[in-house]
Amino acid sequence: MLRLYFLISLMCLVRSDTDETCPSFTKLSFHSAVVGTGLNVKLMLYTRRNPTCAQAINSTVLGNLNVTKKTIFTVHGFRPTGSPPVWMEDLVEGLLSVDDMNVVVVDWNQGATTIIYNHASTKTRKVAIVLKEFIDQMLAEGASLDDIYMIGVSLGAHVAGFVGKMYNGQLGRITGMQYFKCDHQRSVYLYLSSLRENCTITAYPCDSYQDYRNGKCVNCGISQTESCPLLGYYADNWKDYLRERDPPMTKAFFDTAEEKPFCIYHYFVDIITWNKNIRRGSITIKLRDKAGNTTESKINHEPTTFQKYHQVSLLARFNQDLDKVAAISLVFSTGSVIGPRYKLRILRMKLRSLAHPERPQLCRYDLVLMENVETVFQPILCPELQM
């Protein structure tokens, strides 16, 4: 009887080993976003030995990671619904197709999942501390900081910057992307082009994001639609031009800052909608101060897709900088001349200055935009919530 029990136990043990599934990215529900989540950081390693099946690793178990090869950490950002980032698999596949490297997916969905952006942002330094512990172990095993790259999206770019700061700017490269919704090939173009050319490509004034710059080479970009235009310009259209310069340019600004003679002022407009059906359209935003001065920005890139409980971050550019905004107006348009008029139901709108992040962020809740009708409202200060 004892032998039979031992045999059954052994068979179960063997079966559990052979049936082991690949670690997967944490999936959470919108309910988790509402109640909030505590921080838990998972690291998943992909190499050419295991390109589709991740290996769970941590600071004590490096797994298949080869410290003599380049290691790229990919870090996602704010997850207001708890769903996994749809671009992650394509990014991993694209990177491994270019070079034989270690790709470490940083899963901090438990922590990033919340409907309150500030709650997620307060956890970015803690994520960076976890990554530093892991990198310290890599260095102890013989890795070099020159071979450690980080690609951060949204709040993930802040995580990457904090890690770079912990190593006094000695990381090999930091690539910061503010928004990432692209097809496989174009989504990694900005990173790969800079890798081959050893250059810095920036699509917004990186001085506004000092923490992004804590690497020997820093790439910054904004990718807002599925075809990946960088503020209206395609990075590949500029590649030959930069090469032909004498001497060749290694740094390009694809948009202007607030210094003369350009005088363009950048804001992010974060919108969370609650329409049952998906809406596609563009937004025009107008700001007015107490003195009556107004400035307008038509966010005229390709139509934006608004999904229920998903945050969309739009880049608005104004030719005036209004220090104290007293009123905001929004116009939603699908571009259709005929047909039904649609409504865009906004759960929350947030306005934040890119050039002056110290300014109070302005919010408004429960708005209904009738298509092609200007909706004017007085903003309120966004709550400074902490967890």
Side-chain angles (χ1 to χ4, degrees):
M1 189 68 179
L2 184 60
R3 286 183 179 179
L4 180 60
Y5 176 78
F6 177 77
L7 181 61
I8 294 175
S9 299
L10 183 61
M11 291 175 61
C12 292
L13 179 62
V14 171
R15 177 174 294 181
S16 65
D17 287 342
T18 56
D19 290 348
E20 182 181 0
T21 58
C22 302
S24 59
F25 195 95
T26 303
K27 296 181 181 180
L28 299 174
S29 64
F30 182 70
H31 172 75
S32 298
V34 173
V35 300
T37 55
L39 179 63
N40 180 44
V41 181
K42 292 169 50 179
L43 303 181
M44 294 180 290
L45 172 66
Y46 293 87
T47 68
R48 286 187 173 177
R49 291 176 57 186
N50 58 306
T52 59
C53 181
Q55 184 180 45
I57 55 177
N58 55 53
S59 58
T60 59
V61 180
L62 298 186
N64 291 337
L65 191 143
N66 188 335
V67 295
T68 66
K69 295 180 180 179
K70 187 184 307 166
T71 299
I72 295 183
F73 293 83
T74 65
V75 192
H76 66 87
F78 178 48
R79 308 302 302 167
T81 65
S83 61
V86 296
W87 47 265
M88 188 67 80
E89 290 184 4
D90 289 338
L91 179 59
V92 171
E93 180 183 347
L95 293 173
L96 290 177
S97 69
V98 171
D99 199 357
D100 184 7
M101 62 176 77
N102 310 300
V103 179
V104 179
V105 172
V106 181
D107 173 4
W108 63 289
N109 208 21
Q110 285 188 255
T113 294
T114 172
I115 59 173
I116 303 175
Y117 182 87
N118 286 354
H119 287 184
S121 65
T122 58
K123 296 181 175 69
T124 53
R125 290 182 185 271
K126 297 177 182 178
V127 178
I129 291 173
V130 173
L131 296 184
K132 183 180 185 301
E133 291 176 354
F134 183 82
I135 294 172
D136 283 345
Q137 184 60 36
M138 289 179 58
L139 297 177
E141 296 289 335
S144 169
L145 287 177
D146 288 336
D147 292 330
I148 296 177
Y149 295 2
M150 303 202 74
I151 301 177
V153 180
S154 182
L155 285 180
H158 292 264
V159 172
F162 291 142
V163 175
K165 191 172 184 179
M166 292 172 182
Y167 289 103
N168 300 314
Q170 294 304 304
L171 291 185
R173 183 181 303 271
I174 294 176
T175 299
M177 300 293 291
Q178 180 60 30
Y179 187 74
F180 219 143
K181 187 180 181 183
C182 311
D183 60 84
H184 171 169
Q185 294 179 339
R186 289 179 180 265
S187 65
V188 294
Y189 176 81
L190 178 67
Y191 166 75
L192 296 179
S193 64
S194 64
L195 178 61
R196 294 168 182 152
E197 303 299 327
N198 192 30
C199 67
T200 297
I201 299 177
T202 180
Y204 53 75
C206 274
D207 290 337
S208 300
Y209 289 81
Q210 291 294 339
D211 284 321
Y212 288 0
R213 301 174 66 86
N214 291 301
K216 290 184 177 180
C217 186
V218 180
N219 317 87
C220 300
I222 295 178
S223 180
Q224 292 182 294
T225 67
E226 294 182 2
S227 55
C228 277
L230 300 179
L231 308 185
Y233 301 101
Y234 288 84
D236 49 356
N237 290 346
W238 289 79
K239 190 174 181 181
D240 293 336
Y241 170 78
L242 298 177
R243 282 175 170 172
E244 293 171 0
R245 296 296 296 268
D246 186 18
M249 290 181 62
T250 59
K251 189 170 185 178
F253 290 87
F254 288 101
D255 207 344
T256 58
E258 60 182 37
E259 291 80 13
K260 294 181 179 180
F262 306 107
C263 296
I264 297 294
Y265 305 91
H266 299 80
Y267 288 78
F268 272 125
V269 182
D270 302 326
I271 294 177
I272 300 177
T273 57
W274 56 280
N275 285 77
K276 180 179 179 180
N277 299 318
I278 293 176
R279 293 281 184 263
R280 287 178 60 84
S282 60
I283 295 288
T284 299
I285 179 171
K286 184 185 297 182
L287 309 180
R288 177 173 60 82
D289 63 13
K290 292 183 178 180
N293 300 308
T294 62
T295 183
E296 180 178 307
S297 175
K298 179 174 173 46
I299 306 174
N300 57 359
H301 48 67
E302 296 180 17
T304 301
T305 299
F306 298 94
Q307 301 182 59
K308 189 175 183 179
Y309 301 136
H310 282 232
Q311 175 171 293
V312 174
S313 295
L314 305 174
L315 184 72
R317 291 168 286 174
F318 299 95
N319 57 13
Q320 294 186 60
D321 186 29
L322 304 183
D323 185 11
K324 296 182 179 180
V325 177
I328 298 176
S329 73
L330 298 175
V331 177
F332 171 69
S333 176
T334 63
S336 176
V337 179
I338 59 176
R341 299 296 182 183
Y342 292 100
K343 297 178 181 179
L344 186 66
R345 305 175 188 274
I346 296 179
L347 186 64
R348 187 202 67 192
M349 186 239 44
K350 178 190 292 184
L351 179 73
R352 48 195 174 100
S353 172
L354 214 64
H356 300 283
E358 73 282 356
R359 289 182 182 174
Q361 298 180 358
L362 301 178
C363 285
R364 187 70 187 211
Y365 305 87
D366 296 328
L367 292 170
V368 178
L369 304 185
M370 300 293 296
E371 186 176 1
N372 299 328
V373 176
E374 183 178 22
T375 301
V376 184
F377 54 88
Q378 182 178 353
I380 61 175
L381 295 180
C382 301
E384 296 183 2
L385 299 176
Q386 303 291 333
M387 285 191 77

